[in-house]
Every structure is written in C-alpha cells, then in structure tokens.
Amino acid sequence: MNDAFKALSDPTRRKILQLLKEKDLSAGDIADQFNISKPSISHHLNILKQAQLVQDERQGQSIIYSINLTVMQEAMGWFLGMIGTKGDLPDDER
C-alpha cells in the first residue's frame, strides 16, 4: 500500500486517475491533457502501474489504461479506518 500512497502524493498522477475515472484512455490521450512531455507522462503511468492503481491492456498498437478501483478502495478504507467513521462510534458519542 506504500506504493499507492506514494503514487497518490503527486498532483499529476491524481489528475491522471481523475481522467481514467471518466473513461479508459491511451497514453497519448492522457498526454494531450497535460502541458508536459510524453516521457514524463509515461513515467507517471509507470508509477501508477507499479502501485497497481492503473491497469494497461494492449489494443492493436495502442496501450489502453484503466483505473484499478480495488486498490483505490483499499487505500480509502485505510484512510477511513485512521480517522474513524460515525459508524465506528459508540451510540452515546454520535
């Protein structure tokens, strides 16, 4: 999970995840949304992939990226566990 938190610490990678939340995209489609080099986008995608936050699939000559919601849900579960939720409070503390 440390890789996921490291990946989420960067605003460019968070923006990539927001784009992928809307629909699956190729690296070129993702790069078109930023004013940085394609190699930089590739680097960010590799970090997201290593953290298992995104998955990739070859479709012809393109590689299509999609968000991996399972890892996102695990990370959110950890955060919620750290701060507690109303459901975790005893009845007299709600």
Side-chain angles (χ1 to χ4, degrees):
M1 186 159 337
N2 286 339
D3 288 340
F5 291 131
K6 178 183 172 187
L8 291 169
S9 70
D10 184 88
T12 299
R13 293 190 284 269
R14 291 192 304 266
K15 172 74 173 167
I16 291 171
L17 290 172
Q18 287 176 328
L19 292 170
L20 293 175
K21 185 179 108 179
E22 299 299 320
K23 64 179 179 176
D24 299 349
L25 296 166
S26 70
D29 291 335
I30 293 168
D32 288 344
Q33 303 297 314
F34 295 90
N35 193 22
I36 59 177
S37 69
K38 288 186 180 184
S40 291
I41 292 296
S42 180
H43 174 74
H44 286 297
L45 286 168
N46 282 331
I47 290 172
L48 290 168
K49 206 166 105 172
Q50 288 174 3
Q52 298 179 344
L53 291 167
V54 299
Q55 306 168 110
D56 62 347
E57 179 183 334
R58 181 167 290 283
Q59 292 182 2
Q61 291 189 345
S62 297
I63 296 176
I64 305 300
Y65 290 87
S66 61
I67 195 166
N68 181 358
L69 291 176
T70 302
V71 174
M72 291 293 291
Q73 289 169 339
E74 288 173 10
M76 289 305 299
W78 183 87
F79 273 118
L80 291 174
M82 288 300 293
I83 63 170
T85 62
K86 266 193 155 190
D88 295 334
L89 296 175
D91 288 339
D92 61 337
E93 292 184 32
R94 291 187 188 167

